[in-house]
Amino acid sequence: MKAALWYEKKDVRVEEVEEPKVTSGYVKIKVKWCGICGSDLHEYLGGPIFIPVEKPHPLTGNVAPVVLGHEFSGDVVEIGKGVTNIKVGDRVAVEPMVVCGKCPACKEGKYNLCSSLGFHGLCGSGGGFAEYTVFTEEYVHKIPDSMSYEDAALIEPIAVALHSIRQANFNTGDNALVLGCGPIGLATIECLKAAGASLIIVLQRKSIRQEYAKKAGADHVLDPNEVNIAEEVKKLTGGVGIDFAFDTTGAKIGFDIGIDSLKYAGTMVITSIWEGEVNFNPNVLVFSEKKIVGSLAYRHEFPATIAQMSDGRIKTEGYVTKKIALDDIVEEGFGTLTGPDKKKHVKILVTPDKSLLSDCKE
């Protein structure tokens, strides 16, 4: 079968690989759609970050090259011995967590903080940029008949945003600043709307993404090249500052503006993955009791995300800006998202089945 493999930074290849076999407790999935994630882009431009290179991953035992892709949907075509909750023919999405189940974090139910954490599509256990993949039954979720496979491929990034809002301890009526409106930023706006935010302000430089943010529900979209964001945020909040800031930029400008925009005792949640370090003076936290909270992936959020997407509380219109074949992932996928047109796009979906592209409307 065909699959897209990461060999090293800026080296992704579509190659023929052996079709995976089902083992006990696992299910085999024929992939319909898989999204290109910001994490995939970080690995492409600056990796390895999560991908094991010299030292094998402790759970998979694998090193690069690895099959990429962790935001995907498909059909179950085979089940292994002992599988009871999933059957052949089920329409599913995968929560791509590769965890040990034995460490203190896993035993507390915080499996996203597993001491041996890996992600399907990054750690060598297979991935969604392939015709088929296999994964443990525990993290395979059925999707409603009313949900399209394209929407199901968006469950994973939206769950990332939902987890960040839960990490913030966000309450109905609170206000928020979202730093950046790529896929996770836009998902964060949607989740904040569903959570009952009273005011949503977004930082985004001038591009089509400003319009995407407005369509997603942002009340104000501010360009840091045109205004002092922190000052504008204070004006919009009666001189107080924002309750919560959500950084999805992974850049110092987002970090600094987020902290400066917070009210006293406000909280900044960092959802972004960083390729380098950032410096700041801890006094900005001490003197006003502001907080910085990390948010990694998700845990137990897939069912809630599926429910809120299904009943329309979280919308996906306009989220997918391009659909491509697996054969074209390097040029049309990674090339587009790292090239001059990158800010025109939110989410690019990839399919190993070219027949699905005949019905696509980009």
Side-chain angles (χ1 to χ4, degrees):
M1 69 171 188
K2 286 184 179 179
L5 289 87
W6 185 98
Y7 275 81
E8 60 182 3
K9 182 170 66 175
K10 294 187 178 179
D11 185 2
V12 173
R13 311 174 196 174
V14 177
E15 299 180 334
E16 287 288 335
V17 299
E18 185 177 351
E19 193 171 305
K21 294 180 173 60
V22 170
T23 56
S24 179
Y26 280 68
V27 303
K28 184 175 182 179
I29 299 164
K30 180 177 174 61
V31 176
K32 292 286 189 178
W33 293 101
C34 184
I36 299 177
C37 176
S39 298
D40 298 323
L41 294 178
H42 282 298
E43 297 288 359
Y44 181 75
L45 292 173
I49 299 172
F50 290 109
I51 293 175
V53 175
E54 297 179 358
K55 183 179 179 181
H57 189 274
L59 297 180
T60 67
N62 293 329
V63 296
V66 301
V67 179
L68 291 172
H70 58 275
E71 305 177 350
F72 63 97
S73 62
D75 291 330
V76 175
V77 293
E78 188 178 350
I79 61 173
K81 183 179 179 181
V83 173
T84 58
N85 295 321
I86 301 292
K87 65 181 186 301
V88 172
D90 281 345
R91 305 169 72 249
V92 297
V94 168
E95 182 178 357
M97 307 298 281
V98 179
V99 299
C100 71
K102 301 174 183 178
C103 69
C106 283
K107 288 181 178 179
E108 282 186 28
K110 298 176 180 177
Y111 53 85
N112 63 318
L113 305 180
C114 174
S115 60
S116 301
L117 178 66
F119 292 91
H120 192 62
L122 288 170
C123 70
S125 57
F129 292 139
E131 294 179 64
Y132 296 93
T133 192
V134 297
F135 205 61
T136 178
E137 174 192 21
E138 182 179 2
Y139 294 108
V140 176
H141 299 264
K142 298 176 187 177
I143 60 172
D145 291 340
S146 59
M147 179 177 284
S148 69
Y149 290 106
E150 290 93 331
D151 273 0
L154 302 177
I155 294 168
E156 196 272 355
I158 292 174
V160 170
L162 180 58
H163 181 64
S164 73
I165 289 167
R166 289 180 170 180
Q167 282 292 93
N169 291 318
F170 189 91
N171 293 308
T172 299
D174 288 339
N175 55 42
L177 169 65
V178 178
L179 301 146
C181 45
I184 300 301
L186 292 174
T188 302
I189 296 170
E190 286 286 352
C191 290
L192 285 167
K193 280 175 54 187
S198 60
L199 175 70
I200 303 173
I201 305 170
V202 172
L203 175 153
Q204 176 60 52
R205 289 189 175 94
K206 186 169 289 184
S207 72
I208 189 63
R209 287 186 175 181
Q210 290 186 332
E211 296 305 314
Y212 294 155
K214 292 173 184 176
K215 290 177 181 177
D219 297 296
H220 301 276
V221 181
L222 306 177
D223 185 340
N225 293 328
E226 296 179 351
V227 298
N228 182 303
I229 303 293
E231 290 181 1
E232 288 297 311
V233 167
K234 287 181 172 63
K235 289 178 185 178
L236 293 168
T237 55
V240 178
I242 208 78
D243 295 321
F244 296 93
F246 295 86
D247 178 63
T248 71
T249 66
K252 181 171 172 56
I253 184 175
F255 183 92
D256 291 342
I257 289 174
I259 291 178
D260 289 345
S261 300
L262 288 175
K263 67 182 289 188
Y264 56 88
T267 300
M268 182 163 78
V269 180
I270 299 179
T271 316
S272 50
I273 301 299
W274 292 66
E275 294 178 12
E277 297 178 352
V278 63
N279 295 319
F280 78 104
N281 187 335
N283 285 341
V284 301
L285 306 182
V286 174
F287 294 162
S288 55
E289 294 193 352
K290 296 176 181 179
K291 296 175 283 292
I292 299 176
V293 177
S295 181
L296 178 62
Y298 29 73
R299 58 174 179 263
H300 311 297
E301 269 88 19
F302 262 56
T305 303
I306 292 170
Q308 291 185 70
M309 289 174 67
S310 297
D311 65 18
R313 281 176 287 173
I314 294 176
K315 297 176 174 58
T316 59
E317 287 86 354
Y319 207 86
V320 176
T321 51
K322 189 176 184 180
K323 298 176 184 178
I324 62 174
L326 178 61
D327 285 333
D328 301 322
I329 190 172
V330 177
E331 182 177 347
E332 296 296 324
F334 288 100
T336 297
L337 291 173
T338 58
D341 292 334
K342 62 183 179 182
K343 288 195 174 179
K344 293 181 181 178
H345 291 279
V346 180
K347 182 62 63 177
I348 294 180
L349 293 186
V350 181
T351 181
D353 183 355
K354 290 183 179 180
S355 69
L356 296 180
L357 292 169
S358 61
D359 297 325
C360 290
K361 296 179 181 180
E362 296 181 8

